[in-house]
Amino acid sequence: MAKRASAAARRTVTAVLALAPPTLLYQVGWLTVPELSTDQLRAWVHQPLTTGFISMLGYAGAWALWVLLMAAVTDHAHRYLAARLRWRLTLHLPGPLQALAAALLGTTAVTTAAALPAAAHDHTAADADPPPADRATPTRDASAQPPPADPSSPRQGPTTASTTAFTAPPPPTESARHASLPVLHRASAHPATHARGEKVRVVAGENLWDLAAEHLGDATRWREIFALNRGHRQANGYALTNPHIIHVGWKLTLPAQQAAPAPVPPRPKLPTADNSDPAAPETGTTPSAPSTPYTSPAQKRSTTHTPAPSAPAETTGATTSTTHPERPLTQPYDGTGIVLPARGWISLGLAAAIAAVAMLLRLQRRRHARLTITTTASTAPHPAPVPPSLAHADAIGRRHLGLTSNDQQPAHRTVQAPIGVDGNGTEVSLFRIPGSGLALRGEGAVSAARAILAAVLTTGAADTASVRPVVVTTAGLLAQLLPADRPMVGLDPDGTAYDGERLIVLADTDAAIAHAEEEMTSRRRLLDTFDTTTLADVNDRSDHAESPPPYVLLIESATRYAGRVQAIAVHRSALGLHPIVLGLHGLPTVEITRDGTTRSDRPHPLHRVSTLSAGDLAAVLAMLTDAQARPEPGVEFDDPAAATPTAPTVEPCPVPPENPTALVHLRVLGPVTVTTAAGPVTTGMRSGSYTVLAVLAAHPAGRTLYQLAADLHPDVDPASAVKRVRTDITTARRVLRTASGHEEPMFIVFDPASGRYHLDPQTVTVDLWHMLTAINHATTSDNDDEALAALRRATDLYAGDFAEGHDHPWAVDYGTSYRHQILTVYARIAEFLEPDYPDRAVAALERATDLDPVNEELYQRIMRIHGRQQRPDAVRRTLRRLEERLADLVDAEPSQATRRVAERQFAPAASRAGRAS
């Protein structure tokens, strides 16, 4: 009753405010426009602030306020009638008027509420119900609210806990329905089966769209819920009369779960588009199609638009995801760091350091890759050197470093030992935090210690060993940081050293502190020798060879050692000694929550600290173990004992056959280009459209919308990434239709049966597919001339690294796979040419070394040919070139096997010189 009185009072006040101003203004004579003479205007210029001028301002202001009030009342009346009568007309006030009208109505409502009796507000927040639909306070036009486009976007509903009215989605337009098809079955992969008459209770944050998606498996069936419950009075006295407003606590009857979803009619003007294609263009975005539409093979095979069941997991090389077309993605990037699957979070700087280690590991794999054609050529990528849990960190870190697809040196440098971020999101280095050290406590202390260990050890991974930081810890603490069921990854058999003593593991805390004290004494003696005050001053000098790196002492708290740790911490800045203690101690203490956020009793720059799980730390240590340069035995390419290729193997992936009648020729080996019969496509194509085409070229079987979004935009919100990909696909189709002069083809086909997009091989041909087809033909041919011709055709098609110039992180392992396959082609060509044309064979191999300058087998083959031709100087030049390239890229040296190959080529020349003397 009080609510109805409140609504009536508001309407009365609004009517008075609407009718009173014209009446009063007319009574005082302000409805007439005053006449101003020339003399009056001159007088006003000399003295503007007169009583009459102020009255004129009041006159104008009063009318302006009244016009705004009437506009707001008219808009509210339209919304009310539209909801009650289901009008389709939508009125939109200009932007400035919307803001002013909202403020004016808000002021009116507050004034009215303050004037009502206190008895009207006796209800508590928990029991209070909002006004029914016909008495609700005006809200944003529900007809302008689109249904949610992605589960990651916020649900429509209240923003405060006390609000109990929720806006349900309006009946979507045809274009909105098609644009939102991917999310219709995402809310519940296995919805519960409901019989007609079963009720469900409305909870905070729900609307009819959500209820239909969760309980019926189809969000578009919200209309059935509304029709079934319309007009039924609920326990709070109100009934469902407006689909845009439901109340918390209502019990709504559900229709039968087996009911078929509402049919989706085809869109007019677009007969060529599959109605279930999430990226199909809206009505009017493309020219009208001919009367006989073009039908792709996938569209011929599928005549229904039901959602596809979950497909088996598909390994992409960097991540493992399912091919379900409606699978939402978890946003891994929050602007300052990466959220890891194992409930961890690492800063962007630590992600970049992990990416740098992965880069070195890729280079090491390329060094030892065997060049034998033993399997069918494939579009699949080489396996990524990082585990799936760190795949997003590697991808985003690569982008932050500016790494190219060829894994050259990083274009950007990161801070040393990045352990977290400050309040502004800026990276914080362990070596730059103020104070005498750092003590960690709280739920996230152990996880933070793991991240600190990883940050220190990955720092300078691509630099020389002399400048890389050193960590000293105890065996007990390291066992606590690593998984319990795994050995201490990367440690030497005696358990005392890791990667050139960069991680020194001692028996207990006493031994670790004693080691730090010895280091402190040694560094203090070095400062005295050069008469300097800090270690940085010593490292800046060029008249000595010793440059001690940063030194980190990572131990657990122990009261008996507090004084000794304090003595070390005093010299932190001068000597580069950085104590990190788990637990309460005399050092500056930071309390770390489970998600890495910090609390401190004094100002501290760390706002959030990176955290790692035990498994992720073990993965980082394993990557460091394999990536670091060290003397290696290596393998000779023709050694019978090493006949099995050591290069990472890839799964065969069939490619479509060549189609000389295709309308579009796509090149992805080198810069991505598109050509039609009219010439290259140079205008209209978005950069993202080119990358979508490149991804689909590498996946002839297709990719889902969410897989494309994860590939191309790993550091973007999934909902925004999906929108970008949809726009890129639509743009590519439109541009290709215009460039080819054919309005019927789709070029990028959506297959509803699998939920994947793929290039239509009837209309698109790809150089990558042609190259792999040529390699397969050469492998299976029994005719040497025919095989050699096919291999040369493959080399002609390889114009550069895959998707060169785009340098997306997803393309790295694909480019490595295609580069390795073309290296095998050059090696096979050299085998064909060497008996009759040894110089041509060497030229082919040297061309291969330009494509991959670190593969040692190429140099072994070149030196072997020079040796047979009795060219020892050429052998030396080849070995020296390999040494220079390895030193520039990975700070490594040729393996012992490569040096043995070179030495054997000198032996015949030496024996001949002895016989001649």
Side-chain angles (χ1 to χ4, degrees), residues 360-385:
L360 294 177
L361 191 50
R362 287 185 173 96
L363 288 171
Q364 294 290 5
R365 288 184 176 183
R366 285 165 50 188
R367 282 183 60 195
H368 306 298
R370 303 294 303 279
L371 305 180
T372 53
I373 303 179
T374 58
T375 59
T376 304
S378 173
T379 60
H382 270 201

Side-chain angles (χ1 to χ4, degrees), residues 152 319 329-334 338 391-397 399 686-693 695 703-729 806-811:
S152 60
T319 58
L329 298 176
T330 301
Q331 167 64 359
Y333 183 64
D334 63 2
I338 292 90
H392 280 300
D394 176 39
I396 298 173
R399 178 166 295 179
R686 292 164 54 94
S687 175
S689 298
Y690 283 114
T691 54
V692 167
L693 292 172
V695 174
R703 296 289 274 171
T704 67
L705 189 64
Y706 288 97
Q707 288 173 334
L708 289 169
D711 288 339
L712 302 179
H713 308 289
D715 53 353
V716 177
D717 175 74
S720 300
V722 166
K723 291 178 182 178
R724 291 188 190 181
V725 173
R726 284 174 176 160
T727 303
D728 293 335
I729 293 175
H806 291 277
D807 295 329
H808 283 279
W810 66 270

Side-chain angles (χ1 to χ4, degrees), residues 266-539:
R267 287 171 291 177
K269 299 184 182 180
L270 281 176
T272 63
D274 190 320
N275 287 335
S276 61
D277 182 353
E282 300 295 345
T283 302
T285 58
T286 59
S288 299
S291 57
T292 304
Y294 172 85
T295 304
S296 68
Q299 292 169 319
K300 292 178 181 178
R301 290 193 302 268
S302 176
T303 57
T304 61
H305 306 300
T306 55
S310 298
E314 174 182 322
T315 303
T316 64
T319 58
T320 301
S321 59
T322 64
T323 58
H324 195 288
E326 317 301 344
R327 184 81 58 178
L329 298 176
T330 301
Q331 167 64 359
Y333 183 64
D334 63 2
T336 59
I338 292 90
V339 179
L340 300 178
R343 297 183 181 179
W345 178 91
I346 59 175
S347 69
L348 190 57
L350 181 52
I354 293 174
V357 176
M359 174 201 71
L360 294 177
L361 191 50
R362 287 185 173 96
L363 288 171
Q364 294 290 5
R365 288 184 176 183
R366 285 165 50 188
R367 282 183 60 195
H368 306 298
R370 303 294 303 279
L371 305 180
T372 53
I373 303 179
T374 58
T375 59
T376 304
S378 173
T379 60
H382 270 201
V386 296
S389 61
L390 297 177
H392 280 300
D394 176 39
I396 298 173
R398 285 185 63 87
R399 178 166 295 179
H400 182 66
L401 286 174
L403 285 170
T404 66
S405 59
N406 202 23
D407 279 323
Q408 303 293 336
Q409 290 294 334
H412 310 294
R413 305 291 292 179
T414 60
V415 300
Q416 288 189 322
I419 61 173
V421 296
D422 60 16
N424 298 321
T426 304
E427 292 288 337
V428 176
S429 169
L430 172 65
F431 306 145
R432 299 296 181 185
I433 58 175
S436 56
L438 190 62
L440 310 176
R441 57 173 300 188
E443 289 183 298
V446 174
S447 299
R450 296 189 185 106
I452 290 175
L453 179 60
V456 175
L457 292 177
T458 55
T459 293
D463 298 329
T464 58
S466 60
V467 299
R468 297 172 192 163
V470 173
V471 180
V472 175
T473 187
T474 65
L477 179 55
L478 186 59
Q480 183 181 352
L481 300 181
L482 292 173
D485 57 342
R486 301 186 194 178
M488 293 187 181
V489 181
L491 294 176
D492 288 346
D494 59 359
T496 60
Y498 169 88
D499 279 348
E501 297 188 353
R502 291 190 57 217
L503 174 60
I504 302 173
V505 182
L506 300 175
D508 53 27
T509 303
D510 182 74
I513 295 176
H515 189 281
E517 290 171 338
E518 293 176 2
E519 185 70 19
M520 178 179 64
T521 302
S522 174
R523 296 189 178 205
R524 173 56 64 185
R525 186 180 299 113
L526 185 65
L527 264 59
D528 295 340
T529 300
F530 292 98
D531 193 21
T532 57
T533 58
T534 66
L535 191 64
D537 298 334
V538 175
N539 291 337

